[in-house]
Amino acid sequence: MTPAPPDPRVAEALAVFRRGAVDLIEPSELEARLVASRDARRPLRVKFGMDPTSPDLHLGHAVQLLKLRAIQELGHRIVLIVGDATAMIGDPSGRNKLRPPLSRAAIDANLATYVEQAGRVLDMSSTEVRRNSEWFDRMRFEDVLKLLGRATVARMLERDTFEKRMAEGEPIGVHELLYPLMQGWDSVMVEADLELGGTDQLFNLLRGRDLQVQEGQAPQVCFTMPLVNGADGRKMSKSYGNAIGLTEPPFEMFQKLVRTVPDTALADWFTLLTQVPEGEVRALLAGDHRAAALRLAGEITGFFHGAQAAREAREEYERRARGAGPGDVEERPWPPEFAGQSMPLANLLAALGIVSSTSDARRRVQAKSIRLDGAVVEDALIPVSQARLPMVVATSKTKFVRIV
RNA sequence: GGGGAGAUUCCGGAGCGGCCAAACGGGCCAGACUGUAAAUCUGGUGGCUCAGCCUUCGGCGGUUCGAAUCCGCCUCUCCCCA
């Protein structure tokens, strides 16, 4: 047998897969698949699961989506699995509790949102979307037992999260043990060549390999991407409130990026969320980290909103940094129930929801953090009449609202 | 089925019947410093017509001049044994 001739395109493709990846099982298999794909002119089927219970996507998801996009550009096919059947269990990764089953309508709505948002990264028109209820709903009890027989309890319990929960005396639902098997079964049903997931997914991904082998298929290549952390150091997640959403307006996105990225994560974020070449990243990091953070924010904001919007976001950001006040700020109309009247500032701010209560307004004034058209407010009760509008209220150095 | 523990302000968690709007920590919000980052430091964090007043300590009653603190019932959690 002669070894396959070195193919620069295969090597290039391998590099695309590898950039930023944590686990790759097995590299040799991936290479073999790439070669076979090239020879047979058959795109690889790359499986990726989405959770139909929480459709709002953030940069953590973008890491995976960007990788999928890159793979798409290599000519391979993305198979998006909608876990509507598995959603009834809830992925036991993480310490979450049982989830209430979703209605079909809710899943449809979530899926639509997901597709819209993922479409900002992926080419959805060439993405194959499959719901796993397609096969799970057809299973008879006998089939379920057969699937269950494919794994041992000990094997399932190896899983870190289960181990931890056992140790801590936390309950583990018997059906939760089924989750990895279901995910694995999806791989069998769509004949996946590869599966991508977050590092927390490795266990589940590997179950796909086991099941495929047992079903006479070639085992899928599994590879994982890192989870990114939010500003608080915890895994980026909507529920932690530390997520940067894909749909956020340019300025918000830019600002959060600059503020969120710890210096230590700069390199990773460049690798995972931008196309900036490794060499250039190294050069950036050798210089001013602040400049690097701005560049990062510009790259990512530019990807989602276009170069023009990214440039404007950066200008706005720098304008505010100089303390020059905002360009565009949110506007709030004078409360209609007080039309034509004059009212104490504290009450006005509370009525507009700019502060949470008049007491809150008083405290902020005491702390000298409220400014009216640039001037620090000394008295929370100064009367403000509608006649002097518009005016700009600042509740901090960077937060402004224009009352009109 | 049996036995125990507990429900306090966003969270955790203190709280001799009066000095408790309630310690302390976390979170959050301002401010200082900075790179509008991280770290650190300071102040704030129920409401109001605000040097005072009002409403909070699972729910409903009761005792008392006075209760988050004592009593009764109710609801709900958690743990242990079987």
Side-chain angles (χ1 to χ4, degrees), chain A residues 64-392:
Chain A
Q64 324 273 343
L65 294 174
L66 286 162
K67 176 65 72 183
L68 291 173
R69 163 70 174 269
I71 292 170
Q72 245 177 358
E73 283 172 4
L74 292 173
H76 300 296
R77 185 164 182 84
I78 305 304
V79 182
L80 178 70
I81 304 289
V82 180
D84 58 348
T86 27
M88 292 197 280
I89 297 183
D91 186 355
S93 312
R95 69 276 142 243
N96 47 14
K97 306 202 162 140
L98 293 190
R99 298 172 182 175
L102 288 181
S103 70
R104 180 152 194 107
I107 287 177
D108 286 346
N110 285 348
L111 178 57
T113 307
Y114 184 94
V115 166
E116 189 278 311
Q117 295 187 11
R120 294 164 191 244
V121 180
L122 284 183
D123 174 6
M124 291 306 297
S125 68
S126 70
T127 298
E128 181 176 329
V129 179
R130 304 284 290 275
R131 297 166 184 249
N132 64 6
S133 59
E134 188 187 318
W135 41 89
F136 284 121
D137 282 359
R138 283 206 307 263
M139 271 195 167
R140 290 170 304 158
F141 194 65
E142 184 188 338
D143 301 318
V144 176
L145 286 179
K146 198 171 148 201
L147 180 58
L148 286 172
R150 288 291 166 72
T152 63
V153 169
R155 192 99 173 92
M156 287 301 126
L157 290 179
E158 278 174 13
R159 186 138 196 215
D160 285 359
T161 45
F162 286 147
E163 232 171 317
K164 200 182 292 174
R165 279 161 72 181
M166 287 286 269
E168 289 170 4
E170 294 283 317
I172 298 173
V174 172
H175 65 303
E176 290 185 81
L177 299 179
L178 196 50
Y179 190 97
L181 285 173
M182 290 175 77
Q183 185 168 336
W185 191 247
D186 291 340
S187 296
V188 172
M189 296 316 286
V190 302
E191 299 184 44
D193 291 302
L194 278 92
E195 180 165 5
L196 169 66
T199 48
D200 59 341
Q201 290 290 311
L202 184 60
F203 183 90
N204 292 347
L205 305 186
L206 290 173
R207 300 288 75 69
R209 281 171 71 84
D210 294 349
L211 289 172
Q212 283 174 311
V213 169
Q214 291 179 38
E215 290 296 318
Q217 295 181 13
Q220 64 182 5
V221 172
C222 302
F223 70 120
T224 66
M225 297 297 290
L227 304 176
V228 299
N229 291 332
D232 54 5
R234 293 187 293 177
K235 171 180 156 186
M236 186 175 283
S237 158
K238 192 102 181 171
S239 52
Y240 291 156
N242 62 358
I244 301 176
L246 301 192
T247 58
E248 299 204 29
F251 176 73
E252 303 298 319
M253 184 178 272
F254 189 95
Q255 181 183 48
K256 284 190 186 178
L257 277 162
V258 176
R259 309 225 285 211
T260 299
V261 189
D263 283 3
T264 50
L266 274 170
D268 286 344
W269 284 41
F270 269 112
T271 304
L272 299 173
L273 292 163
T274 76
Q275 298 294 320
V276 179
E278 305 286 353
E280 201 176 335
V281 172
R282 272 194 299 279
L284 275 165
L285 293 178
D288 180 14
H289 280 194
R290 179 163 187 271
L294 288 170
R295 170 73 187 279
L296 176 76
E299 289 285 338
I300 296 174
T301 306
F303 178 85
F304 286 101
H305 296 287
Q308 176 64 22
R311 207 160 29 242
E312 285 167 12
R314 178 167 180 155
E315 282 163 15
E316 173 72 12
Y317 180 87
E318 290 179 334
R319 178 160 50 237
R320 293 199 195 188
R322 286 194 304 270
D328 296 319
V329 285
E330 186 193 354
E331 299 200 335
R332 298 274 177 83
W334 181 271
E337 59 272 35
F338 297 101
Q341 298 176 39
S342 167
M343 59 198 296
L345 179 66
N347 296 271
L348 175 63
L349 299 185
L352 291 172
I354 292 170
V355 298
S356 60
S357 66
T358 59
S359 299
D360 187 27
R362 286 168 189 264
R363 282 183 220 110
R364 287 169 183 273
V365 165
Q366 196 144 25
K368 301 209 183 302
S369 61
I370 303 257
R371 279 168 297 148
L372 221 49
D373 290 329
V376 173
V377 175
E378 301 288 346
D379 176 7
L381 300 179
I382 51 166
V384 180
S385 70
Q386 191 172 6
R388 72 165 287 189
L389 299 182
M391 62 181 191
V392 174

Side-chain angles (χ1 to χ4, degrees), chain A residues 40-73:
Chain A
R41 299 188 163 202
R42 183 186 75 89
L44 295 178
R45 295 172 63 72
V46 181
K47 175 193 168 206
F48 180 69
M50 66 80 75
D51 169 11
T53 59
S54 57
D56 273 311
L57 300 187
H58 52 67
L59 288 183
H61 299 106
V63 170
Q64 324 273 343
L65 294 174
L66 286 162
K67 176 65 72 183
L68 291 173
R69 163 70 174 269
I71 292 170
Q72 245 177 358
E73 283 172 4

